[in-house]
Amino acid sequence: MKLKQIMQLLSARPLTDVVDEELEISCACASDMMSDVLAFPKEHMILLTGLVNHQVMRTCDMLDIRAVCFTRGKLPTAEALEMANEDGISVIATDLTMFIASGKLYAGGMNNGTIG
Amino acid sequence: MSILKEEFPVAAMDFVTAGEASAQIKRMLKKLGVDPGVIRRLAIACYEAEINLVIHSDGGKLMLELNPDNVTLISEDVGPGIPDIDLAMSEGYSTASDDVRMMGFGAGMGLANMARNADHFNIESIVGEGTKIEMVFDIK
Ligand SMILES: Nc1ncnc2c1ncn2[C@@H]1O[C@H](COP(=O)(O)OP(=O)(O)OP(=O)(O)O)[C@@H](O)[C@H]1O
Ligand SMILES: [Mg+2]
């Protein structure tokens, strides 16, 4: 699934200067705990999270995660967004809750990434 | 003879820079052309170790050594130490504070994750003195 389709499914808007809508995403992981994300990483994964600090971007950097979606209208801190822009991570945001966003992606054919 | 030897100090409770050493190490190994699979496993374990230094110790360092057939990573700190290593190694056990959980850590997954990603894992700890973890990542 392309990031573009994910944005449509979640009515998500772009937050970073560059959002690569053609990015191929094969699974999703939903968590606020970065140590959980680190425990079961997969490739071409999008991270759904409500954690807004810059450790989210550090974690993405370490795991080569190229796309992040903030849920329930939460927005990353200025430092987090700056880091994402520097690292070229595509960051989007949806007003949907993590549960609903996950459900929509699952129903839309997205594979289970890691947790739950 | 090692190809590269490098030390990275890590400060306690500094969440602004937490993870910078690991990011630097990852970039360094990438530049040197180390196998991507090895880098991936090492980056995860290194980041977990670095975060532990930040949230559990009074300060420490990461020591990286690149050899022809492996990469060795040592985390060494001064701090409270770990009274029961078996318990600390079990997934879900954490003494992290709520403040640390707010930062996205403290799920009790780190040590087990390090052991899972490394080809060789050894941990030694003395209560009241500190903790030393040695990890070896084989290059096939
Ligand atoms: N360097 C250290 N010094 C003192 N205690 C430590 C150290 N590293 C780990 N511990 C103890 O071992 C426990 C388990 O560590 P582990 O890394 O597995 O989980 P965590 O750091 O609490 O959470 P997570 O790694 O999921 O963010 C810690 O909660 C802490 O009590
Ligand atoms: Mg930890």
Side-chain angles (χ1 to χ4, degrees), chain B residues 48 52 55-56 110:
Chain B
E48 292 278 16
N52 275 4
I55 66 180
H56 302 302

Side-chain angles (χ1 to χ4, degrees), chain A residues 7-108:
Chain A
M7 293 175 76
Q8 280 162 2
L9 282 170
L10 304 183
S11 313
R13 57 194 183 280
L15 294 184
T16 37
D17 300 340
V18 178
V19 167
D20 181 2
E21 297 194 340
E22 296 304 310
L23 203 63
E24 205 46 70
I25 305 287
S26 50
C27 59
C29 166
S31 182
D32 286 351
M33 293 301 273
M34 293 305 105
S35 33
D36 274 339
V37 181
L38 284 158
F40 312 97
K42 283 190 187 166
E43 280 178 38
H44 308 290
M45 186 167 86
I46 184 170
L47 172 63
L48 272 60
T49 190
L51 186 77
V52 297
N53 67 55
H54 67 277
Q55 291 303 331
V56 170
M57 302 310 163
R58 283 242 193 270
T59 304
C60 291
D61 187 23
M62 298 314 286
L63 294 174
D64 297 319
I65 295 174
R66 310 302 305 150
V68 179
C69 180
F70 288 93
T71 53
R72 204 155 54 78
K74 291 195 181 179
L75 296 174
T77 62
E79 299 82 62
L81 200 56
E82 191 185 319
M83 204 179 276
N85 275 320
E86 274 171 20
D87 293 347
I89 298 168
S90 295
V91 179
I92 59 176
T94 176
D95 289 329
L96 301 174
T97 63
M98 190 119 102
F99 178 75
I100 300 292
S102 302
K104 287 202 181 231
L105 288 185
Y106 187 77

Side-chain angles (χ1 to χ4, degrees), chain B residues 22 32 59 63 66 70 103 107 111 125 137:
Chain B
S22 302
L32 289 164
M63 287 170 279
L66 175 60
N70 70 51
M103 298 298 299
L111 289 173
S125 190
F137 303 83

